[in-house]
Every structure is written in C-alpha cells, then in structure tokens.
Amino acid sequence: MRILYQLLVVLFMMLQGAAAQSFIPKPFDPCVAQNGRCFPGICRRPYYWIGTCHNGWSCCRRYVEA
C-alpha cells in the first residue's frame, strides 16, 4: 500500500512538472507594443522618440506618411 502512495506522489509531481513547462510567459515590452524599436542614443531620421526601453536605450518609431 505504501508503494501505491509513493507512485501517486511521483505521478502527481510529473503532471505538475509537465504543466509548468507548457506555458512560458514572455516579459511585457511596452516599446514593442507601440510598434517601436530600441536604439542606443537618440533617435535619428526616419525614426522619432516615443519613450525609453527597459535597458535605458531610446524607444523609436518610424514615421508613417499617409
């Protein structure tokens, strides 16, 4: 009977391990969410500054002419 409980515990741990590996959350990047790119320094043409990236670089977006 004790072996049965140990097998159930091992099975439960395996199921939890498999469930945890199926979903890997990505960190939220607000610059990419605004269709921007991270550049070191200031934004040059044809880009304009829209914020700061997580690493301290400038978040720049390309001009769109209609």
Side-chain angles (χ1 to χ4, degrees), residues 27-63:
F28 177 71
D29 190 358
C31 186
V32 174
Q34 298 178 51
N35 295 327
R37 294 180 56 193
C38 296
F39 290 103
I42 62 173
C43 301
R44 307 262 184 212
R45 283 189 164 176
Y47 295 94
Y48 64 96
W49 187 82
I50 57 173
T52 306
C53 294
H54 61 88
N55 56 4
W57 289 4
S58 296
C59 181
C60 307
R61 186 181 344 184
R62 186 179 268 269
Y63 283 112

